[in-house]
Structures are given as C-alpha cells and as structure tokens.
Amino acid sequence: MNLLEHQGKQLLASIGIAVPRGDVADSPDAAGAVAAELGGRVVCKAQITSGKRGKAGGVLVVESAAAAEAAAREILGSDVHGHRVRRLLVEQAVDIGHELYAAVLDDPVSKGPVLLFSTAGGMDIEEVNATSPESVRRLPLDIREPASTEAIGAMVRDSGLAPGSVDAVADALAAIYRLYVDADASLVEVNPLALTTSGDVVALDAKVTIDAASVMRQETRLADLQGGTPSSGGTDLERSGAELGLSYIELGGDVGVLANGAGLTMTTLDAISHFGGRAANFLEIGGDAYTKATPALDLVLSNPNVRSVLVNFCGAFARTDVMTDGVVNAIEELRPDVPISFTIHGTGEQEAIALVRERLGMEPHDLMDDAVREAIANARSDREVSA
Ligand code: GDP
Ligand code: MN
C-alpha cells in the first residue's frame, strides 16, 4: 500500500524527523488559507502516489497566499502521470542548501533491508544510479538487529558530506530505518532529504510503501493518518481495472498486452523487453476472457501511449477458442486503430486461429517470438509516422 506524501511525512514526523509545517487542501480557497496561515513562500504539491511530480508541474513554489490559490487552481483536477490530482499539500518553503537522497527498501540481493544514501539528491535515483553510481552508498542491514550507528555514521562520512552535518544526517537515516521496521514498510524513501541553509536536516518528500500483508497489523498507525487509511492508490486506469475486477498495471511502454494467466503475461512482458520493446501494461484476463474481453481491451486502448497490441493466449483447461471469441467480439465492437498481433497455443488453438482468420482477416503467429517482434515493430513504425 502506497501512502501519499503528506501521510508519509506524518510518519516521519512521528519518529522525530523534521518536516516542513503545512496542511492538506482540496480546493484553491483552502490552499490559499493554509498559505496565509503559514505566511511567506510556500510549496504546493500534488498528493498522488507517483514520483517525478516536480518535472510534470505537480510541485510549485510560490511567494504568496494569492499565488498559492492560483497554483492550486492549476494543479487540482489536473493529470499528473495518469493520476487526477484531488488533494494538495501546502507547506512552508525551505531554503535548501543541499539535496540528499535517503531510502530503506527491500533488497533482493541481500534478502533483507538495504539503506541507500547519496549526496546527489533531488534527482531520480535511477538517474543518479546511471550517471554517478559511485555516489550511491549501500548498507545492507540485518532486520533482526538494531542498525549499527557506527556503520551508518561511517557511510555518511565516506560520502563526502561536510563533517559538521554527518551526525544529524546519520541520526535521520537511523530514524528512517526504525520507521521502515516499525511500520512494516517495504520502502521508505526521502528524496530530497534537505540540508537547509541554516544546517537543519528536513524531509522535503516522502514515499512510504507498507507491505500489503501487514496492512491489518498496521491498522492503528494507518487509521491515525490524516485523510484516513489510504486507498491502494494507482493510476485512474488502474482503478478502473480494479473496479472491473481486472488485474491491470500501467507500465511505461507502448505495446499493449492482453494475455491469459499471470505467468504467461509475465513471460510476454519479458519477451517484449528481451526483443527491445517496452510493454504498456500488465493485464491478466484469466478465465474471464470471454465475458471481460471488451472492457479489458478498452482499458488497454485507453492508455494513450499504446501504439500496438499483442494478444498472447495459451490454453490448458481454459479453451483458447473461447478466449479468442471474446477478444474478436471486443475488436469488432471497439474497432481499435492500432495494429494487433496474435499468438495462440494449446487447447482449442485450431478453432481459435480459424476465428481470427475468418472474422478479422488476420494471421496469428506460430511462434510467440514472431508476434512479439511484430508488435514491437508496429509500435515503432507508428511512432515514426506520427512524429
Ligand atoms: P517529486 O518530483 O515528486 O519527487 O517531488 P519533490 O517533493 O521531491 O519535489 C521536487 C523538487 O521540488 C525537490 O527536489 C526540490 O528541489 C523542490 N522543492 C520541494 N520542496 C521545496 C521547498 O520547500 N523549497 C524549495 N526551495 N524547493 C522545494
Ligand atoms: Mn522527490
């Protein structure tokens, strides 16, 4: 479960990490009132469960209450990375001296938590990792033990941070780790963790993910959060998917995917990536293919990045001709204007292939690899044409 920034900050504050003063607002008037109460320069921030808001216009620094109201009018209701903005965090602007990066997350390599720290904060950590990987320090921790203050201190000292700030930053990192443990988090990321011009350590952003299996155990802590227990978040399309009972996850690419079964879907995503393409979504329509094919295809096509669609069915107990009939009906109804590639194997494949040939005039691929390659090429050529 992903918490919103203001909720994550509430948790950070509860363990003694400084966060800017502020409050949430769901209207321009309310934003103006919060800004007036704070006085001076304020930051208006879209409360959505997605990062990189700054670059997408979801974070605005303004000089007055009137400007905060105007900023709120701009951000509220707008679309930031597929999320409709319904709430803002309006908080006192901080004079940043230096932006640091701090996070504790589940590490698949050490199979435990790892503390990450970098003096190159503010930017995406992926970017930092790509451009200056040496600046990212990693400290694997043993979940059964309290973190060693010495080890954390040494990591911060090694990073080249000004000696005067080392202790305060190390204390903040130790606190972030305690929060990760106490809240059953799989991620606590503070980017930027700011060193202010007056030398204070302040968390300017917070991304906290609570392990889904622990949400019940964390009930009290979550119920205390402002705004109540958070929804599971997700983009607007992901929420529509959940409402339809479909496991739909938006990914960053342009090849729409429709497959049956989570395993085959993951395989399809791997194959797309293997051949140099980028999938636009995970969508597993399982045994419901026949009844949910139309809303499922509609969901895939509603992602504006989709330039081609790949349908990959593999039948065992579930018959591929039944699934294919559903998808062919959906295509006839929705008449997508992007090309579709098919590959169908297993129970009922002869009948399924015949359906695609006869009703759509298309030829499914014998090999999954060929269908994947075609879908990637279709997505590319379409982009070139429209560019
Ligand atoms: P993200 O883009 O979703 O990660 O949003 P952040 O909360 O990290 O904000 C993006 C950027 O806005 C930060 O890296 C800062 O440079 C800037 N920012 C955020 N809060 C403040 C603030 O209080 N004062 C100043 N000067 N800049 C801020
Ligand atoms: Mn950030």
Side-chain angles (χ1 to χ4, degrees):
M1 170 186 283
N2 298 318
L3 305 190
L4 293 167
E5 175 193 6
H6 74 270
Q7 299 173 321
K9 280 180 166 165
Q10 204 182 320
L11 295 183
L12 290 171
S14 74
I15 50 155
I17 292 185
V19 299
R21 284 203 308 135
D23 206 349
V24 286
D26 55 9
S27 71
D29 275 357
V34 176
E37 170 83 29
L38 293 169
R41 220 150 58 98
V42 298
V43 192
C44 298
K45 312 181 76 176
Q47 295 302 287
I48 52 170
T49 53
S50 153
K52 306 185 194 183
R53 294 162 300 166
K55 284 179 194 152
V59 177
L60 295 176
V61 183
V62 297
E63 304 295 331
S64 68
E69 203 178 311
R73 206 164 280 123
E74 203 169 302
I75 304 175
L76 283 170
S78 73
D79 182 283
V80 179
H81 300 311
H83 300 249
R84 182 77 43 208
V85 182
R86 297 191 168 81
R87 249 188 293 178
L88 288 184
L89 173 60
V90 181
E91 58 180 24
Q92 203 147 49
V94 165
D95 291 325
I96 301 175
H98 201 100
E99 292 187 296
L100 310 171
Y101 176 91
V104 178
L105 50 103
D106 294 346
D107 177 24
V109 178
S110 61
K111 299 192 168 56
V114 64
L115 174 60
L116 299 185
F117 176 70
S118 171
T119 51
M123 285 183 276
D124 292 332
I125 194 63
E126 290 85 357
E127 215 170 286
V128 178
N129 242 332
T131 53
S132 51
E134 72 290 344
S135 83
V136 183
R137 316 265 142 181
R138 305 168 50 88
L139 180 65
L141 295 165
D142 185 336
I143 189 91
R144 294 161 300 190
E145 307 283 342
S148 143
T149 1
E150 291 75 30
I152 295 177
M155 171 168 80
V156 177
R157 220 168 297 118
D158 280 354
S159 71
L161 196 71
S165 305
V166 168
D167 287 349
V169 169
D171 284 350
L173 297 186
I176 289 170
Y177 177 61
R178 276 199 304 279
L179 175 62
Y180 163 95
V181 175
D182 290 350
D184 293 318
S186 55
L187 171 71
V188 180
E189 184 187 62
V190 181
N191 185 27
L193 177 69
L195 266 179
T196 67
T197 45
S198 46
D200 297 322
V201 178
V202 183
L204 289 195
D205 192 6
K207 194 168 175 197
V208 177
T209 306
I210 308 292
D211 189 319
S214 284
V215 166
M216 241 157 67
R217 196 160 84 150
Q218 294 293 330
E219 204 169 30
T220 323
R221 186 179 260 111
L222 294 173
D224 281 346
L225 292 174
Q226 201 183 9
T229 306
S231 75
S232 53
T235 65
D236 290 348
L237 286 180
E238 286 169 353
R239 268 195 303 280
S240 314
E243 276 159 26
L244 292 163
L246 294 165
S247 330
Y248 173 88
I249 299 167
E250 219 169 310
L251 304 170
D254 49 18
V255 179
V257 175
L258 208 62
N260 70 294
L264 182 67
T265 309
M266 293 302 282
T267 303
T268 310
L269 300 184
D270 283 347
I272 291 172
S273 167
H274 176 74
F275 289 113
R278 293 185 65 211
N281 65 275
F282 172 99
L283 174 58
E284 188 256 303
I285 52 177
D288 289 339
Y290 188 78
T291 51
K292 289 186 181 161
T294 304
L297 182 65
D298 195 29
L299 202 56
V300 169
L301 297 170
S302 299
N303 177 343
N305 298 326
V306 167
R307 300 277 176 265
S308 71
V309 172
L310 174 60
V311 178
N312 188 5
F313 286 154
C314 186
F317 291 113
R319 295 189 59 93
T320 55
D321 53 337
V322 176
M323 300 175 209
T324 303
D325 187 37
V327 167
V328 169
N329 288 337
I331 292 170
E332 285 174 345
E333 191 179 329
L334 299 172
R335 304 195 165 281
D337 51 11
V338 296
I340 302 190
S341 306
F342 282 90
T343 181
I344 303 169
H345 300 91
T347 316
E349 67 178 31
Q350 292 315 324
E351 296 87 337
I353 290 166
L355 275 175
V356 174
R357 276 187 192 137
E358 285 157 22
R359 288 173 55 192
L360 301 176
M362 289 167 52
E363 190 59 37
H365 291 270
D366 258 355
L367 293 176
M368 177 178 87
D369 287 5
D370 291 340
V372 171
R373 283 203 192 93
E374 181 186 85
I376 295 169
N378 283 341
R380 286 209 182 115
S381 63
D382 182 84
R383 190 169 337 118
E384 273 154 26
V385 169
S386 62

